[in-house]
Amino acid sequence: NIINLYNEVRDNPTLIKLLVSDKISKLSENYDLFFNADAQETIKPGAKYNIMYCHFFEPKWYRPARNFTDFFKLLGIYLIKTFKGNYSREYRVYCNYEYTKNRLKRLWYVDSEVIYPPVDLPRKKFRKEDLIISIGRLSSDKNYEFVIDIFKELYKDMKNYKLLICGTKDNEAYFEKLKKLSENYPIEFLTDIS
């Protein structure tokens, strides 16, 4: 059985994930294999075999607060992560790049193995473009406003470059905000592609 407890969570997925971690820990005891693909270190695994795949993770305090309310949200996440504990050492941990492996070692004191994501290489030659590509889930915690602002600064000196942002839309309002920020610049979005 594959269980996804927060497929529909959109408002504050990090906080919800932390709050349901005890439930997930208890559920994992019913299985021989527990695969934590969300890098939730606060989930204590209870299966016979426990694997965590980490493409990136959030440190306890992972970004500056955007406003007063956001500060308390981040403080809550920090306190929950602090008091719940870090169970990452109870997993066999895999990650996607050496960079992530080094961060895991430094922040979580965990050894991990690298499994690089598969990439299909094109069979034909393409014309080279001056292109900057950003790939990831399009959600506010990824701070794409920063990516767009940096590109706008670069564009002043490099008019031949284009920014391509690829990813799954998490929130339509956030996506519209990014499109608005991108107006009058060579910035394209590719969303929900497989």
Side-chain angles (χ1 to χ4, degrees):
N1 292 347
I2 296 175
I3 300 171
N4 185 346
L5 292 178
Y6 22 81
N7 200 28
E8 298 303 315
V9 174
R10 293 289 183 238
D11 293 336
N12 192 341
T14 303
L15 188 58
I16 298 298
K17 289 173 188 179
L18 288 170
L19 295 175
V20 300
S21 63
D22 290 335
K23 183 176 183 177
I24 297 170
S25 297
K26 190 74 176 150
L27 280 171
S28 73
E29 295 172 3
N30 300 321
Y31 297 91
D32 291 331
L33 173 64
F34 178 63
F35 190 84
N36 181 341
D38 209 17
Q40 287 296 315
E41 77 281 6
T42 57
I43 297 173
K44 182 179 173 98
K48 185 175 180 180
Y49 301 101
N50 301 287
I51 296 171
M52 178 188 289
Y53 182 74
C54 187
H55 43 89
F56 206 76
F57 55 93
E58 296 171 346
K60 288 182 183 179
W61 198 287
Y62 59 97
R63 63 173 171 75
R66 293 184 184 111
N67 55 43
F68 187 72
T69 306
D70 192 46
F71 170 80
F72 283 103
K73 177 188 125 184
L74 292 172
L75 178 63
I77 291 168
Y78 176 82
L79 291 173
I80 290 169
K81 283 190 173 193
T82 299
F83 291 111
K84 278 192 166 284
N86 184 324
Y87 296 103
S88 59
R89 287 181 288 285
E90 296 184 31
Y91 290 89
R92 177 72 184 239
V93 180
Y94 296 91
C95 58
N96 58 346
Y97 293 105
E98 286 294 325
Y99 173 81
T100 308
K101 177 180 179 163
N102 293 334
R103 296 269 302 183
L104 286 169
K105 183 72 171 171
R106 193 175 53 158
L107 294 175
W108 287 357
Y109 310 105
V110 117
D111 289 317
S112 58
E113 293 181 47
V114 176
I115 299 176
Y116 292 101
V119 176
D120 285 333
L121 297 175
R123 290 182 166 46
K124 63 181 186 176
K125 299 251 184 204
F126 290 97
R127 179 179 58 84
K128 183 188 176 309
E129 284 185 69
D130 293 326
L131 189 63
I132 298 170
I133 302 175
S134 179
I135 301 173
R137 183 173 35 85
L138 301 178
S139 64
S140 59
D141 61 314
K142 299 289 187 178
N143 198 7
Y144 276 95
E145 299 93 333
F146 178 73
V147 173
I148 291 168
D149 288 343
I150 292 298
F151 177 76
K152 287 177 177 180
E153 285 298 313
L154 290 172
Y155 188 70
K156 292 175 184 175
D157 297 322
M158 303 183 327
K159 298 279 189 205
N160 55 323
Y161 275 79
K162 181 167 73 172
L163 173 62
L164 181 61
I165 298 176
C166 308
T168 303
K169 290 187 280 186
D170 255 11
N171 177 308
E172 192 64 37
Y174 181 69
F175 179 66
E176 291 302 320
K177 176 183 174 183
L178 295 178
K179 285 183 9 184
K180 186 89 172 144
L181 286 171
S182 302
E183 286 179 356
N184 302 317
Y185 286 90
I187 299 174
E188 289 182 35
F189 294 89
L190 288 176
T191 61
D192 304 320
I193 55 175
S194 331

